[in-house]
Amino acid sequence: MGTLAWPLERNHIRRDIRNNSFGYVREGGQKAHQGWDLAATLGTPCYAIADGVIESRATHAEFGKHILLRFEHGGQTLYAAYCHLSFMLVERTEPVQRGQRIGYTGDTGNARSPHGEDQHLHFEIRTVPHPGRGLGGRIDPATLYGRAPIGWTFFEGHGQKVPTSGATGLKIRGVNVRERIE
Ligand SMILES: [Zn+2]
């Protein structure tokens, strides 16, 4: 079972609050959140989390422009959903490789958070391609990634976790921290 890539280069839950991760009911509503909201400025590149095939690319009232990536993980067929995109770079049935750029974040569909830190990628892991309402047919992405990136950020390209609070400036190996070559 290969290690999954993360969907973005810089991954943390929108505003670092648990309500924007999986399974939480928000804004006094009835509906539990079906995935993760990963903070991302409009136009942020999205990457295939695994080798797989594009199950669909479509426009939907709720999810907006969205891509479904079908992949195998732990002996199971799963689907990663990338929602509210601005651009989709892949076609249905197209094979893709882990880490391949497949689209750009946006605010299509019912993304009601087009400003500042609320801009995001809505990301789901599904066990069926087109589940209904509620949490059925979906699993917590933390099942695959260990735990939700709340209070820390995972930088995919640098394989590094960085705390999002209490840090005096971000130190990212390979970017703004000089590594000593012994
Ligand atoms: Zn969401």
Side-chain angles (χ1 to χ4, degrees):
M1 163 163 105
T3 311
L4 295 176
W6 289 63
L8 303 175
E9 162 57 26
R10 169 180 171 271
N11 302 272
H12 75 90
I13 297 289
R14 179 160 69 91
R15 293 196 180 275
D16 270 329
I17 59 174
R18 198 156 294 283
N19 279 1
N20 293 324
S21 61
F22 182 83
Y24 289 85
V25 177
R26 305 183 300 181
E27 293 153 19
Q30 301 290 313
K31 196 178 145 192
H33 194 227
Q34 296 164 323
W36 279 357
D37 283 353
L38 294 169
T41 313
L42 299 183
T44 298
C46 302
Y47 302 96
I49 62 168
D51 293 349
V53 174
I54 301 305
E55 174 78 13
S56 68
R57 53 165 281 172
T59 302
H60 182 275
E62 187 177 352
F63 300 117
K65 292 181 182 175
H66 69 295
I67 293 170
L68 275 182
L69 164 65
R70 183 175 79 237
F71 64 102
E72 303 296 320
H73 187 75
Q76 203 180 359
T77 300
L78 296 174
Y79 304 83
Y82 301 74
C83 304
H84 309 316
L85 302 180
S86 54
F87 292 99
M88 301 183 282
L89 302 176
V90 286
E91 300 296 336
R92 196 171 76 82
T93 73
E94 185 175 333
V96 297
Q97 294 191 316
R98 179 185 183 281
Q100 183 178 332
R101 187 180 298 196
I102 58 173
Y104 294 94
T105 64
D107 60 357
T108 58
N110 72 349
R112 287 176 299 246
S113 334
H115 303 295
E117 297 217 345
D118 286 321
Q119 297 179 3
H120 67 277
L121 170 71
H122 175 87
F123 176 72
E124 297 182 7
I125 299 292
R126 301 178 177 177
T127 54
V128 294
H130 302 290
R133 296 189 163 275
L135 298 180
R138 295 171 169 92
I139 59 176
D140 187 345
T143 311
L144 305 184
Y145 290 102
R147 67 190 169 95
I150 298 168
W152 53 280
T153 301
F154 185 77
F155 288 87
E156 173 63 45
H158 307 284
Q160 196 174 1
K161 291 178 182 177
V162 176
T164 48
S165 60
T168 52
L170 287 178
K171 294 189 175 65
I172 305 168
R173 196 166 55 231
V175 176
N176 57 6
V177 176
R178 180 175 295 183
E179 293 163 80
R180 203 151 60 129
I181 313 290
E182 302 287 342

